[in-house]
Amino acid sequence: MALFSRGLNAPEMTIGRKFWQVHWIFLLLLTAIALIGMAMLYSAANGNMEPWASAQMARFALGIGILIIVSLIDIRHWLRWAYVFYAMSLLLLAAVEIMGYVGMGAQRWISLGFFNVQPSEVMKIALVIALARYFHGSDPEDTGRIGHLVVPALLILLPTALVMRQPDLGTAVMLMMVGAILLLLAGVRLWIFALAGMIVLAVIPVGWHFMHDYQQQRVITFLDPESDPLGAGYHIIQSKIALGSGGMFGKGFLLGSQSHLSFLPEKQTDFIFTMLAEEFGMVGGLGLLGLYTLLLTYGFAMSLRARSQFARLVGMGITSTFFLYVFINIAMVMGLIPVVGVPLPLISYGGTAMLTLLFGFGILMSVHVHRDVIIGRRGIDDGW
Amino acid sequence: MRHDSDQQKLFNRRTALLAGGKLLLLSALAGRMYFLQVLESDKYRTLADENRINLRLLPPPRGRIVDRFDTLLVDNQQNYRVVLISEQTPAVEQTLDALSAIIDISDAERARIMRETRRRRSWVPVTVRENLGWEDVARIEVNAPDLPGVLIDVGQSRLYPHGIMTAHVLGYVAAVNEAEANGDRLLLLPGFRIGKNGVEKTHDLALRGKGGSSQVEVNAFGRMIRELSRQEGQPGAEVRLSLDLEVQRKLASLLPAESSSGVVLDIRTGQILAMASMPSFDPNAFNRGLTPDEWRYLSQNPMAPLINKAIAGQYAPGSTFKVVVALAALEAGAITPDTEFYCNGSLALGNARFHCYKKEGHGRAALRDGIKWSCDVYFYEVAKRIGIDRIAAMAERLGLGQTLLTDLPGEQPGLIPSRAWKQKALGTSWQGGETLVAGIGQGYITATPLQLAVMAARVASGGLAVMPHLTMDGPLPGESATRSLSLQAGATEPALFPDLGIKPEHLRVVRDAMEAVVNEPRGTANGARIKEPEMAMGGKSGTSQVRRISKAERDRGVIKNDDLPWERRDHALFIAYAPIKAPRFAAAVVVEHGGGGSAVAAPLVRDILRFVQERYRLPATAPTANRPDDPAIALQNSG
């Protein structure tokens, strides 16, 4: 307790009190979505818990445990260790360049023996915290200055460049967008975004030149999936057929012909939303979208309620990351954006994604639990 | 704290902006969902059904072919084959690599598969290998997950149980080639075979039947999950031939392998009881696919094993043609049966000298002896009197110079020359000497063994226009009805064929002479007579010269056939009918480069006519044993 008592403006909380501050409705919502995911994994295995649904259930249970533990950690510890956490994540990212696995054609994993870590996933959280830390200490006037944006720009571009090299287009775009969202929330002038947008447009032809063939192919296929119906366009065409043929009310649980006859690729991972919309129709798809929106709303509410800029930015950053996952995945399977390997949060099969996500939500929950903690402009310096 | 509240206000404004943006994007997702799942739903439902539902053609079983007693001539057998559907495999080459680890695929086969894959629509299965053993089938099934687009298909293939014995009549089936594909989806099926020759070709449509279809649900790898509906096709019709397998086998085994052919006809009905050509081939080999060596043998062998020489071999009829010349002369009134000529071994016409085969000459002879001895000089004289055009007219009435069959492909018409023909075809006028040569069936004249048998049948029937055919009674689907015929004998039975209008007494004279040829001591074919009087035959031998015998050679002495290389020896021919009292069967045999007709061909004809008469005459050996009521087999001859 002594650790937290010095220089803090908020009344101290015991672990027990914090525990009661956890947003249990939010957790219920998470669990509901995860249960839908397990039902879909059960269907993807043609009505079997194995091999996906039961494993996913175990991970979710583990993840919820992690979430609760993380939510009890004082938000100021994240502030204090923000840059260290960021530096370590960057090192890990760099490490996969050297000793990473080659999996699915891209170096994305780092093996810790018993567990494979995906540094790019960790980086998404580390970037949010580092940027929040930076803008927590800045004046609203500061954020209007270009010079003040050099550090955050570097914070965003360094990991983005590393991820690009792996190459992982989806994560790179996501890091950029999360960074941009935090900059927006921190009060960076809107004309700067307009300028940045124009620069990006100008850079696209150059970037195109540096893209891998398969990335270029994905963009081409996105623009005209029918151009290669048996190759790269196959996934998206089959996904659209599955979605469309689901109609208003769907074909029924376990009865999706596209999914169960294997026309739909990756139905247990990236294309799981398609399967849900095929079997439960638009009603099912909108239902899930509604649950996600509710979750996002809670995320927004929890962030807005926080009394420190750092907590607000962290909360919004994590919520926005979550939103980006949802949007990119669903937009992708519906053919609105190119095929990028982004899972549908809480639903898609995959351990790292699930654990990282719940870890992130743990920090969001920590924001909620410590919403009344006030942190000075210079953060820990003025008290700690 | 003012800063803080400013900061929070800015944050709240920006959050509202962000929330608005996110809401907009989420609405876009919902809108897209509405577009795909409600507005465009019907289109995608159809596409999903197209994905999952395959229409599979069910090839109809090909009709069987049986002989006149319903003995199987062609059957179907099960055939496991492995096919590849190119649209269901990501990389054809890779899949073939994986497959070749299980079954051997030669480079040539691989090239063919790649070629067919490119040529055909991607959903059309391409046959990789046929006639798989059980072991290979099992191994492919086990490895199915590594072999996308590879399917095992159970088909039927043709089985010709009598092999070379029936090859030319039945023909064979083979894969459809590009020119034959006419848009019928059946023809695109892998391993679908159509008749390429023989009865298999002429009755192909009837034998083929109509394809059915089956709607099946398949998964993305093309594996069938279940059948949704099925429309049965129509199996191919059974085709019954007039052939009698026993007679056919006898004929085929009698004929020497070194290029010969023969036909046995039922005179009253024109039904072909046997038709064979040697050397032959095994039609089953076409089914499993010929090796290059086999194909080279079949296509380049000078004895043309693939050709049905009974209908496509065109030979100078030689002395068998004297029957035509005699009848033409009698009908023209140019000679009477008693008209005599003197043969001193040759006849001079202008500067040329035309020789009789008998160098010292036959002496004085009337028509009967002229035929019986086959005196060439006699027929030079006769031909000189009546001229080529009257000979040609009679030849055509007796069935020469025209195709006669409707049920076999590849029949040749032979050639009966006339003045008009020569002017038109060669642009020169007819020479007198050519008439003389025509009088002994040499020169331009050619005829097929079938035509020669028909000629014998027409003479023996008393001048009826006997037409040969191979298919039994009963109309077949897709074909014009063939004459309804019964083999039942009976004197009161009305004639099936129109009368040719040849005077009966003239025919009697010629038949009497033909019977003398075989049955009298100085007849050319006396050595080949049938000793039982009730089965005795009448006939005419022919030895057709392949080479030209020069004056020099004739002076030195004509070289004996045995001393000549095979391809320069004479063709041996013999035509006959039996029994002489009420002719029932006619036969013709040609042995290419066999030598003398009476010595080589006549014994073969004797054997086959004896065999067929014994078979149909004697109840003990007749095939009535198991089917006594069949009127078609009650062949007891009324004579």
Side-chain angles (χ1 to χ4, degrees), chain A residues 138-139 184 187-188 238 240-241 243-244 247 258 261-263 273 277 282 300 304 312 316 320 334 377, chain B residues 3-4 7-8 10-12 14 19 22 29 32-34 36-37 41 44 48 51-52 218-220 225:
Chain A
S138 56
D139 257 304
L184 179 81
V188 173
Q238 294 302 336
K240 278 161 76 176
I241 291 174
L243 274 159
Q258 286 284 105
L261 297 174
S262 308
F263 290 101
F273 181 80
M282 189 175 79
F300 270 61
L304 283 171
R312 286 195 291 263
M316 285 303 290
S320 296
M334 294 200 294
R377 169 71 38 80
Chain B
H3 277 310
D4 281 354
Q7 201 174 34
Q8 180 147 18
L10 182 62
F11 183 89
N12 288 352
R14 290 291 170 94
K22 286 180 181 176
L29 292 185
R32 178 71 170 170
M33 229 179 277
Y34 179 75
L36 287 176
Q37 300 198 278
S41 185
Y44 287 115
N51 257 349
R52 103 192 147 92
V218 295
N219 68 10
I225 306 299

Side-chain angles (χ1 to χ4, degrees), chain A residues 8 11 16 69 72 133 138 143 281 302 348 371 383:
Chain A
L8 293 180
I69 292 166
L72 303 179
R133 165 79 180 85
S138 56
T143 53
M302 289 191 274
S348 286
R371 58 188 173 276

Side-chain angles (χ1 to χ4, degrees), chain A residues 176-200:
Chain A
M176 296 273 278
M177 290 173 84
V178 170
I181 285 171
L182 282 182
L183 261 53
L184 179 81
L185 292 169
V188 173
R189 298 285 158 82
L190 293 177
W191 66 264
I192 293 180
F193 286 97
L195 185 71
M198 286 193 316
I199 291 171
V200 166

Side-chain angles (χ1 to χ4, degrees), chain A residues 52-355:
Chain A
W52 299 309
S54 53
Q56 186 83 339
M57 197 172 274
R59 284 170 188 154
F60 181 71
L62 176 66
I64 284 290
I66 291 173
L67 186 154
I68 292 170
I69 292 166
V70 170
S71 69
L72 303 179
I73 297 170
D74 196 298
I75 190 72
R76 284 165 295 188
H77 287 296
W78 293 112
L79 181 79
R80 179 183 225 172
W81 300 105
Y83 292 138
V84 176
F85 184 35
Y86 176 87
M88 278 169 59
S89 300
L90 203 60
L91 273 174
L92 277 175
L93 258 185
V96 290
E97 281 289 298
I98 301 153
M99 51 178 270
Y101 271 3
V102 173
M104 302 296 286
Q107 296 182 329
R108 289 174 195 180
W109 303 83
I110 194 160
S111 178
L112 297 181
F114 64 99
F115 190 60
N116 288 336
V117 177
Q118 212 172 348
S120 59
E121 292 288 324
V122 181
M123 182 44 95
K124 283 172 199 154
I125 295 170
L127 178 65
V128 166
I129 293 173
L131 286 172
R133 165 79 180 85
Y134 181 79
F135 286 112
H136 174 76
S138 56
D139 257 304
E141 288 79 32
D142 291 344
T143 53
R145 292 206 327 269
I146 295 281
H148 195 67
L149 295 178
V150 171
V151 174
L154 281 177
L155 286 176
I156 296 167
L157 289 177
L158 275 176
T160 304
L162 281 172
V163 166
M164 276 287 230
R165 280 204 57 187
Q166 286 188 359
D168 182 353
L169 189 64
T171 306
V173 168
M174 209 130 124
L175 287 172
M176 296 273 278
M177 290 173 84
V178 170
I181 285 171
L182 282 182
L183 261 53
L184 179 81
L185 292 169
V188 173
R189 298 285 158 82
L190 293 177
W191 66 264
I192 293 180
F193 286 97
L195 185 71
M198 286 193 316
I199 291 171
V200 166
L201 279 179
V203 160
I204 279 176
V206 183
W208 175 259
H209 189 71
F210 283 103
M211 273 186 178
H212 279 248
D213 282 350
Y214 87 95
Q215 290 168 329
Q216 292 187 351
Q217 192 56 50
R218 278 181 183 179
V219 176
I220 291 170
T221 310
F222 161 67
L223 296 173
D224 182 17
E226 277 76 13
S227 68
D228 188 11
L230 290 176
Y234 180 82
H235 287 194
I236 201 65
I237 289 172
Q238 294 302 336
S239 177
K240 278 161 76 176
I241 291 174
L243 274 159
S245 63
M248 181 77 89
F249 298 104
K251 299 175 184 171
F253 189 48
L254 300 176
L255 294 176
S257 68
Q258 286 284 105
S259 321
H260 290 284
L261 297 174
S262 308
F263 290 101
L264 188 64
E266 306 281 329
K267 59 178 181 284
Q268 78 281 13
T269 55
D270 290 357
F271 284 87
I272 198 162
F273 181 80
T274 305
M275 186 177 158
L276 177 128
E278 186 189 15
E279 298 197 343
F280 296 106
M282 189 175 79
V283 171
L286 286 180
L288 182 66
L289 216 54
L291 288 178
Y292 278 135
T293 310
L294 202 56
L295 205 64
L296 287 168
T297 311
Y298 276 120
F300 270 61
M302 289 191 274
S303 310
L304 283 171
R305 172 68 183 72
R307 295 187 63 181
S308 70
Q309 178 77 344
F310 175 73
R312 286 195 291 263
L313 285 173
V314 166
M316 285 303 290
I318 285 165
T319 309
S320 296
T321 308
F322 179 75
F323 167 81
L324 286 174
Y325 270 116
V326 172
F327 178 78
I328 290 176
N329 178 274
I330 296 180
M332 169 192 81
V333 301
M334 294 200 294
L336 283 174
I337 60 167
V339 174
V340 284
V342 169
L344 186 63
L346 298 169
I347 308 261
S348 286
Y349 180 76
T352 320
M354 171 76 92
L355 293 178

Side-chain angles (χ1 to χ4, degrees), chain A residues 17-36:
Chain A
R17 278 196 56 201
K18 283 184 181 180
F19 191 76
W20 285 112
Q21 290 299 316
V22 170
H23 199 312
W24 295 104
I25 294 175
F26 187 85
L27 289 193
L28 211 64
L29 207 51
L30 280 184
T31 312
I33 295 173
L35 282 176
I36 290 172

